[in-house]
Amino acid sequence: ALGDVTAGMTHMGLHAYFQQHHQDAITGLDTLTNYDRPQWRAVFAKLASQHEDEKVGVFYCGPRSLGKTLEKQCTAATAASSTTFSFAKENF
């Protein structure tokens, strides 16, 4: 409840800062940082539309649980489009 309101207000403030200064308030980068979980279906759908009939390599290095999620998304996006997503990972 209160955490949701605080997070929402923080997000609005960071977005407003970016609109005014054209850089992220925390990182200083010229792109706005997304602090939520990525919408993987939308990410892969956009890549598929930009790379129709092509092979897109997805390399991941990090926690196994996220690797499994990305691998499933690659498989699903390959089945749903003309783009082939090739997944590779490395775990430490």
Side-chain angles (χ1 to χ4, degrees), residues 40 44 64-74 87:
W40 292 118
F44 280 93
R64 292 179 199 270
S65 58
L66 180 53
K68 289 179 183 180
T69 298
L70 286 173
E71 186 172 21
K72 288 178 185 176
Q73 289 297 323
C74 285
F87 181 75

Side-chain angles (χ1 to χ4, degrees), residues 43-53 56 77 80-83 85:
V43 170
F44 280 93
K46 183 176 181 179
L47 286 169
S49 70
Q50 293 172 336
H51 299 280
E52 292 179 359
D53 300 315
V56 174
S81 69
S82 66
T83 305
F85 289 92

Side-chain angles (χ1 to χ4, degrees), residues 7-33:
M9 295 299 290
T10 301
H11 176 76
M12 288 173 46
L14 291 171
H15 189 73
Y17 181 91
F18 180 80
Q19 292 298 319
Q20 189 171 23
H21 300 278
H22 305 290
Q23 74 176 154
D24 188 88
I26 295 174
T27 65
L29 298 173
D30 62 356
T31 56
L32 185 61
T33 303

